[in-house]
């Protein structure tokens, strides 16, 4: 089964990259690592309740292709939204990947 026709948005994947600063320290920046097709949903009431009980800031669920390179800590940006990835799971039958995310506001917005 192919879920591509459900993935109605393109989101840029931003990842934290740490490099040596040449003085014994490190410099941390965000770098765009690619773009993915996705479907962004708000979680159901039961998913929100489970997230609250676990202390998780889960505000959106993002469905991705099984081969999408998205990891915990990444940020998915597009259509004026920035979603911080809390966790990524894949079902036993690799039809899709599911990322639980938190909607964050951009500074100056």
């Amino acid at each position: 089964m192919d879920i591509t026709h459900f993935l109605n948005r393109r989101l840029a994947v931003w990842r934290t990259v740490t490099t040596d600063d040449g003085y014994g320290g490190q410099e941390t920046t965000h770098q765009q690592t690619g773009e993915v097709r996705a479907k962004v949903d708000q979680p159901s009431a039961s998913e929100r309740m489970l997230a609250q009980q676990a202390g998780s800031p889960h505000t959106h669920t993002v469905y991705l292709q099984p081969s999408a390179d998205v990891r915990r800590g990444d940020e998915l940006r597009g259509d004026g939204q920035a979603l911080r990835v809390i966790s990524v799971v894949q079902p036993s039958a690799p039809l899709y990947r599911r990322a639980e995310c938190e909607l964050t506001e951009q500074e100056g917005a």
Side-chain angles (χ1 to χ4, degrees), residues 9 11-14 36 38-44 47-48 51-52 55-64 70-78 81-89 97-105:
R9 291 178 63 181
L11 299 173
V13 179
W14 289 76
V36 293
K39 180 178 187 299
V40 179
D41 286 342
Q42 291 187 355
S44 68
E47 289 174 324
R48 283 193 302 262
Q52 285 177 340
S56 172
H58 178 199
T59 62
H60 287 73
T61 301
V62 179
Y63 294 92
L64 308 155
V70 174
R71 304 174 191 168
R72 183 179 64 146
D74 285 352
E75 194 171 273
L76 303 174
R77 299 179 188 174
Q81 291 183 318
L83 300 159
R84 185 177 59 85
V85 178
I86 299 167
S87 68
V88 180
V89 294
R97 293 184 84 193
R98 177 183 155 146
E100 293 183 358
C101 299
E102 175 188 20
L103 180 65
T104 59
E105 288 187 31

Side-chain angles (χ1 to χ4, degrees), residues 14-53:
W14 289 76
R15 188 164 291 152
T16 302
V17 178
T18 305
T19 56
D20 291 332
D21 66 3
Y23 298 102
Q26 295 179 331
E27 187 173 298
T28 302
T29 59
H30 277 84
Q31 186 175 35
Q32 185 174 350
T33 60
E35 189 175 272
V36 293
R37 291 187 60 186
K39 180 178 187 299
V40 179
D41 286 342
Q42 291 187 355
S44 68
S46 61
E47 289 174 324
R48 283 193 302 262
M49 183 182 72
L50 287 172
Q52 285 177 340
Q53 288 175 344

